[in-house]
Amino acid sequence: QVHLVESGGGLVQAGGSLRLSCAASGRTFSSYAMGWFRQAPGKEREFVAGTSRLGGATYYSDSVKGRFTIARDNAKNTVWLQMINLKPEDTAVYYCAANRYNSFYNSRDYDAWGQGTQVTVSS
C-alpha cells in the first residue's frame, strides 16, 4: 500500500498560480496510476487530472484543461499538479490518489488517498 502526502496549497488571488506536490512512500510508486481530485464545500469529490504509471498519458477534466498540468517523477516518488490562471471556482481541498488499475475518472477505483491540501482562490 502506498502512503501519500500532499503539500503546496494556500491562498492565491484569481489569475495566480500554485503547484501542488504529492509525495509517495514505498518502492512500488511506478505501479500506480495517479490522480488529483478536489472537493469544494457542499459538493462531491471530482476528478481533476490523472497520469498513467509511467507518465506517458495524462487526462484532465474539462474545467481545468489548458490551465492545470499533471506530471510525475517515479525516481522521486512524486506527482505534481501545476495550476495556472486560477479561478475562485477552483477553491477546494485537493487530494492526490493512487490506483493499480490504470483508470482515472472514478474515485472508487483508487486505492490510496492523501489527507488533502486546501487551495483558496480569492476574487
Side-chain angles (χ1 to χ4, degrees), residues 38 46-50 59-66 68 105:
R38 67 186 181 187
E46 65 172 353
F47 171 79
V48 174
Y59 306 86
Y60 300 94
S61 67
D62 288 342
S63 62
V64 308
K65 199 172 295 182
F68 291 12
Y105 299 99

Side-chain angles (χ1 to χ4, degrees), residues 20-22 29 34 36 51 70-72 77-81 96:
L20 306 183
S21 298
C22 175
F29 180 66
M34 297 297 297
W36 284 95
T51 180
I70 187 171
R72 68 187 295 166
N77 279 14
T78 302
V79 61
W80 297 274
L81 185 68
C96 72

Side-chain angles (χ1 to χ4, degrees), residues 2-4 6 20 24 48 52 72 80 84 92 101 107-108 114 117:
V2 64
H3 180 64
L4 306 172
E6 302 98 333
L20 306 183
V48 174
S52 58
R72 68 187 295 166
W80 297 274
I84 65 171
Y101 306 107
S107 62
R108 291 190 293 270
T117 186

Side-chain angles (χ1 to χ4, degrees), residues 7-88:
S7 61
L11 173 64
V12 64
Q13 289 187 331
S17 302
L18 281 175
R19 188 174 81 155
L20 306 183
S21 298
C22 175
S25 64
R27 294 175 289 179
T28 59
F29 180 66
S30 61
S31 66
Y32 290 89
M34 297 297 297
W36 284 95
F37 286 75
R38 67 186 181 187
Q39 188 166 19
K43 295 188 176 181
E44 293 187 354
R45 191 170 296 190
E46 65 172 353
F47 171 79
V48 174
T51 180
S52 58
R53 296 184 184 98
L54 299 183
T58 56
Y59 306 86
Y60 300 94
S61 67
D62 288 342
S63 62
V64 308
K65 199 172 295 182
R67 300 187 298 121
F68 291 12
T69 303
I70 187 171
R72 68 187 295 166
D73 185 335
N74 288 344
K76 297 181 178 179
N77 279 14
T78 302
V79 61
W80 297 274
L81 185 68
Q82 177 68 52
M83 307 183 292
I84 65 171
N85 192 20
L86 283 159
K87 305 176 180 180

